[in-house]
Amino acid sequence: PAQMMHPAGPLAAARAGAVLARLTPALQAEAADLAATLREIETARALQREGIADLASGLAALEAARDQLGGAIAGRGAEDPPEAALRAGRDAETLTALAAALARQPGGGGAEAAASGDWLWPVRGRVLAGYKAPDASGARRPGLLLGAPALSLVEAPSDAMVRYAAPFLEYGYVVVLEADDGTLIVLAGLAQLAVSAGAPVARGELLGLLGGRNLEVEEYVMLPDADAGAGALETLYIEVRHGGGPVDPGPWFAGENG
């Protein structure tokens, strides 16, 4: 009893005992909460490891599929454009001038028609610059600039004839399609072509691929949620020429993109 006596006396010993009687259960409850939190963290880490493994497997399969598609595109051996198209490409200094030159060639132009509103968007992405809106350099272009994930498939918006499919200036590969009503669709910024000039294409048919690269697993994990699905965006420029000049492409496409 003497050893258990508080130095300040019996009253202080009683007070210390009361404090410990309340403190010990509280510490035990906190320890139990920490143990439960630790178990949740361990479970989350295990799920994260499984998710990363699944993501790595999916990315590897995607890379293999893209390589196979790229090989198939390369195996088609795109033909050189007709001489008239080549001459138009050499003489034109802008995409609008190229489209205007192609429209003047035989087969260019056609029936007057209002915007159809049922074309497919060539890529699934978002509009970065609208019709005649200033782009990053301040230039106002008579078309739309779309942002899409790297290596996106570029598809034909409608049934059309390929009037031009070749590199053009700094735009990479450019495809100019002539729809059934004579409307010209200019698509600029492709990294690979799957069609050649003079070939007919159906609505939704593959025209080529955008550039870029697949993200690594670590990049997907570290990127913010808003960017993890796409990474750095590639761009595709769309210009529509109808009735003698460029028009707003937006009304020609079905619904909102993205």
Side-chain angles (χ1 to χ4, degrees):
Q3 294 175 349
M4 298 181 62
M5 186 65 67
H6 195 279
L11 183 57
R15 287 174 176 171
V19 170
L20 289 175
R22 292 188 176 186
L23 183 60
T24 300
L27 290 175
Q28 291 175 340
E30 184 175 354
D33 290 341
L34 289 174
T37 301
L38 180 60
R39 288 193 296 270
E40 292 176 358
I41 292 174
E42 291 175 345
T43 301
R45 285 177 175 171
L47 291 174
Q48 183 187 43
R49 288 192 293 269
E50 293 177 3
I52 289 176
D54 290 342
L55 178 60
S57 176
L59 287 177
L62 177 61
E63 184 71 23
R66 287 270 166 76
D67 289 343
Q68 185 177 4
L69 177 60
I73 289 175
R76 290 188 180 186
E79 300 174 0
D80 293 333
E83 181 58 31
L86 281 175
R87 186 167 56 253
R90 287 194 301 265
D91 296 341
E93 297 182 356
T94 65
L95 285 172
T96 301
L98 173 64
L102 292 173
R104 290 192 297 268
Q105 294 176 8
E112 294 294 327
S116 63
D118 62 357
W119 287 359
L120 292 177
W121 288 96
V123 295
R124 183 63 60 185
R126 67 173 186 266
V127 176
L128 301 179
Y131 179 64
K132 292 188 177 180
D135 58 16
S137 64
R140 296 179 181 272
R141 303 181 186 278
L144 298 178
L145 186 65
L146 299 183
L151 304 176
S152 291
L153 305 180
V154 181
E155 300 174 337
S158 69
D159 296 342
M161 180 69 68
V162 180
R163 296 293 304 280
Y164 184 88
F168 183 74
L169 301 179
E170 74 278 9
Y171 294 99
Y173 286 105
V174 172
V175 177
V176 180
L177 305 175
E178 183 178 3
D180 292 340
D181 63 353
T183 301
L184 293 183
I185 310 165
V186 180
L187 304 173
L190 286 77
Q192 296 185 56
L193 285 181
V195 293
S196 57
V201 292
R203 184 175 187 265
E205 186 173 338
L206 180 66
L207 301 176
L209 300 178
L210 293 183
R213 64 178 183 84
N214 287 321
L215 294 178
E216 302 293 338
V217 175
E218 293 78 7
E219 293 176 282
Y220 271 101
V221 174
M222 296 301 294
L223 281 173
D225 291 343
D227 297 330
L233 293 178
E234 297 293 318
T235 56
L236 179 73
Y237 177 75
I238 305 174
E239 189 172 311
V240 174
R241 188 176 185 86
H242 179 77
V247 296
D248 184 0
W252 296 81
F253 294 94
E256 296 292 330
N257 200 352

